[in-house]
């Protein structure tokens, strides 16, 4: 296995590409090389700076143990909006009522507006069956949107020292989940999770769907009308759209031989051109360059990191899911019951990081 090989004196590979939780735990256990000490790796190059915030997620005590190349920024979670479908059901006197891309540009792309549009689009037939959905989560239940719309999964607090906590358990996150829970279970304007989570309906029966940017070719080319891509909407307490992602990192094993040569190969790998990736998306989807770069600019420039990725959250998941789906007690009450344990897990991650040499 990869972990067994990392512990071996003669590691079976020279460069590793793996998920955030695994990579970060490898770094915290001293199994990865410090890339800033390899002379053939130049971390000042643009391909590393495009993903600066996420690279900080693998930086401990000033040492860089893993990087995300600029070409990996396609993993950003976004909202795909079928603007033509929205216009069909909400236009007034032939005039567009909700211009999704313009709402984002004007700083008005919020959770409240997202819910308002979803409710306006929804259609129900005489038998009470929903025939047109305002939105679909695309991936997972409401926790997917709430985690991102609540800020980033961990947020820095200026209280004399750096403290990180899961924003999903913050007031903004709780408020977001309460709104989404009402939207799904009371107003029923968002498609429940299940099946293909609205992918097939995005052509003419689902107005908005949450997915990674990598899904653009499959989703957009299936629609005859206009599609736009925007970030996850922000909550009323947010000043900016902030992003998080299920990021994977490129790393070099601490036991690797001839790290200087490996560094040269590493630099070649890192030069995959993000602009070329965007160009392929233009060709495949017809999405405009302006739209794609608007949808990703804050993600690319955000300087915080998703440290929660390095914490084992499986023991909390059932309680969080219960808070969302069952409605037995307020979301805040149930979240408060796990907050201390969650914070302790995050603190443990940082304690381990502080002991790295």
């Amino acid at each position: 296995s990869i972990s067994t090989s990392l512990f071996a004196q003669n590691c079976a590979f020279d460069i590793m590409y793996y998920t955030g939780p695994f990579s970060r735990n490898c770094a915290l256990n001293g199994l990865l090389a410090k890339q800033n000490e390899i002379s053939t790796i130049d971390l000042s190059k643009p391909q590393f700076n495009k993903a600066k915030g996420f690279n900080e997620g693998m930086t401990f005590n000033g040492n860089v143990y893993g990087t995300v190349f600029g070409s990996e920024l396609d993993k950003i979670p976004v909202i795909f909006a079928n603007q033509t479908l929205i216009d069909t059901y909400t236009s007034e006197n032939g005039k567009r009522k909700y211009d999704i891309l313009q709402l984002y540009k004007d700083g008005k792309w919020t959770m409240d507006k997202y819910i308002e549009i979803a409710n306006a689009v929804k259609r129900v037939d005489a038998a009470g069956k929903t025939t047109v959905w305002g939105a679909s989560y695309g991936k997972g239940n409401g926790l997917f949107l709430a985690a991102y719309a609540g800020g980033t999964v961990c947020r820095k607090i200026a209280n004399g020292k750096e403290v990180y906590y899961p924003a999903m358990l913050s007031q903004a996150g709780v408020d977001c989940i309460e709104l989404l829970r009402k939207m799904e279970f009371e107003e029923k304007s968002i498609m429940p999770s299940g099946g293909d989570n609205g992918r097939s309906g995005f052509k003419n029966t689902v107005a908005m769907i949450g997915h990674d940017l990598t899904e653009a070719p499959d989703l957009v080319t299936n629609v005859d009308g206009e599609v736009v891509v925007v970030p996850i909407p922000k909550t009323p307490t947010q000043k900016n759209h902030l992003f998080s992602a299920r990021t994977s990192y490129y790393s070099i094993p601490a036991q690797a031989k001839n790290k200087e040569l490996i560094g040269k190969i590493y630099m070649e790998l890192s030069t995959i051109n993000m602009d070329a990736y965007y160009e392929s998306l233009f060709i495949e989807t017809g999405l405009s360059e302006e739209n794609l770069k608007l949808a990703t600019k804050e993600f690319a420039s955000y300087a915080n990191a998703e440290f929660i990725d390095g914490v084992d959250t499986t023991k909390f998941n059932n309680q969080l899911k219960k808070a969302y789906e069952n409605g037995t007690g307020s979301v805040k009450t149930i979240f408060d019951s796990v907050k201390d344990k969650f914070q302790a897990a995050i603190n443990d991650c940082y304690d381990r990081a502080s002991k790295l040499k």
Side-chain angles (χ1 to χ4, degrees):
S1 68
I2 290 178
S3 55
T4 300
S5 184
L6 283 170
F7 279 104
Q9 290 300 310
N10 292 303
C11 192
F13 53 88
D14 295 323
I15 296 174
M16 179 179 86
Y17 179 67
Y18 218 82
T19 58
F22 182 82
S23 297
R24 194 165 293 117
N25 279 313
C26 286
L28 293 173
N29 281 305
L31 299 176
L32 302 179
K34 301 173 184 177
Q35 295 184 17
N36 50 294
E37 293 185 353
I38 300 175
S39 65
T40 49
I41 294 179
D42 184 355
L43 296 174
S44 68
K45 293 294 185 181
Q47 62 265 34
F48 299 112
N49 291 328
K50 283 183 179 180
K52 183 180 178 183
F54 290 90
N55 291 339
E56 289 182 2
M58 283 286 282
T59 301
F60 301 105
N61 302 329
N63 294 310
V64 180
Y65 294 89
T67 56
V68 176
F69 304 156
S71 57
E72 294 300 304
L73 297 183
D74 58 349
K75 291 179 179 169
I76 176 176
V78 294
I79 296 289
F80 293 90
N82 185 333
Q83 183 68 65
T84 300
L85 187 64
I86 293 170
D87 291 344
T88 298
Y89 292 103
T90 64
S91 292
E92 297 177 345
N93 300 318
K95 293 184 178 181
R96 177 174 286 178
K97 183 176 181 180
Y98 299 109
D99 187 321
I100 304 300
L101 199 55
Q102 193 61 48
L103 284 169
Y104 169 58
K105 290 179 181 178
D106 293 343
K108 297 177 181 178
W109 179 234
T110 63
M111 281 302 304
D112 288 342
K113 186 60 67 174
Y114 171 79
I115 293 171
E116 177 186 328
I117 295 169
N119 287 335
V121 170
K122 178 190 170 185
R123 292 295 184 273
V124 180
D125 65 17
K129 179 182 178 181
T130 300
T131 56
V132 179
W133 292 98
S136 166
Y137 294 125
K139 282 190 174 181
N141 61 17
L143 295 177
F144 168 77
L145 274 183
Y148 301 114
T152 181
V153 179
C154 278
R155 184 173 296 162
K156 190 179 295 185
I157 310 172
N159 65 345
K161 62 177 183 178
E162 289 187 347
V163 178
Y164 291 80
Y165 74 105
M168 189 166 64
L169 305 189
S170 71
Q171 190 57 53
V174 168
D175 290 346
C176 182
I177 290 178
E178 290 282 18
L179 284 170
L180 289 165
R181 187 169 68 172
K182 180 180 179 181
M183 191 177 176
E184 179 173 349
F185 298 108
E186 294 180 28
E187 299 174 356
K188 301 185 186 304
S189 55
I190 192 164
M191 178 183 282
S193 299
D196 68 354
N197 291 317
R199 289 173 62 93
S200 59
F202 187 60
K203 182 173 183 178
N204 49 30
T205 58
V206 177
M208 298 179 287
I209 186 168
H211 253 299
D212 294 346
L213 186 58
T214 48
E215 300 291 332
D218 288 339
L219 287 170
V220 178
T221 55
N222 191 40
V223 177
D224 295 330
E226 179 186 0
V227 176
V228 296
V229 182
V230 286
I232 300 295
K234 59 185 177 182
T235 64
T237 57
Q238 285 176 260
K239 292 182 179 180
N240 301 301
H241 295 269
L242 304 179
F243 299 102
S244 185
R246 293 160 300 286
T247 307
S248 293
Y249 291 92
Y250 290 91
S251 304
I252 296 173
Q255 299 291 347
K257 307 296 183 183
N258 200 349
K259 293 185 180 66
E260 301 304 310
L261 176 58
I262 294 172
K264 291 181 179 180
I265 299 170
Y266 197 88
M267 290 301 295
E268 288 296 321
L269 281 175
S270 73
T271 55
I272 300 171
N273 194 316
M274 188 60 181
D275 290 334
Y277 174 78
Y278 277 135
E279 185 177 346
S280 71
L281 278 185
F282 308 151
I283 295 170
E284 291 184 67
T285 67
L287 288 167
S288 71
E289 179 176 3
E290 177 197 31
N291 186 181
L292 284 172
K293 291 194 173 180
L294 272 176
T296 58
K297 73 180 177 68
E298 285 156 309
F299 171 88
S301 63
Y302 184 46
N304 207 349
E306 188 197 357
F307 281 91
I308 193 66
D309 224 10
V311 177
D312 180 9
T313 62
T314 53
K315 54 190 171 185
F316 308 122
N317 286 349
N318 285 338
Q319 287 168 285
L320 300 183
K321 194 168 184 288
K322 176 183 176 183
Y324 180 79
E325 294 181 347
N326 297 345
T328 52
S330 70
V331 169
K332 187 177 187 306
T333 298
I334 298 174
F335 276 20
D336 281 347
S337 70
V338 300
K339 186 177 290 187
D340 289 345
K341 292 179 180 178
F342 221 137
Q343 189 66 60
I346 294 171
N347 292 344
D348 176 66
C349 180
Y350 278 92
D351 287 343
R352 290 166 63 198
S354 68
K355 296 172 184 175
L356 282 173
K357 296 180 180 180

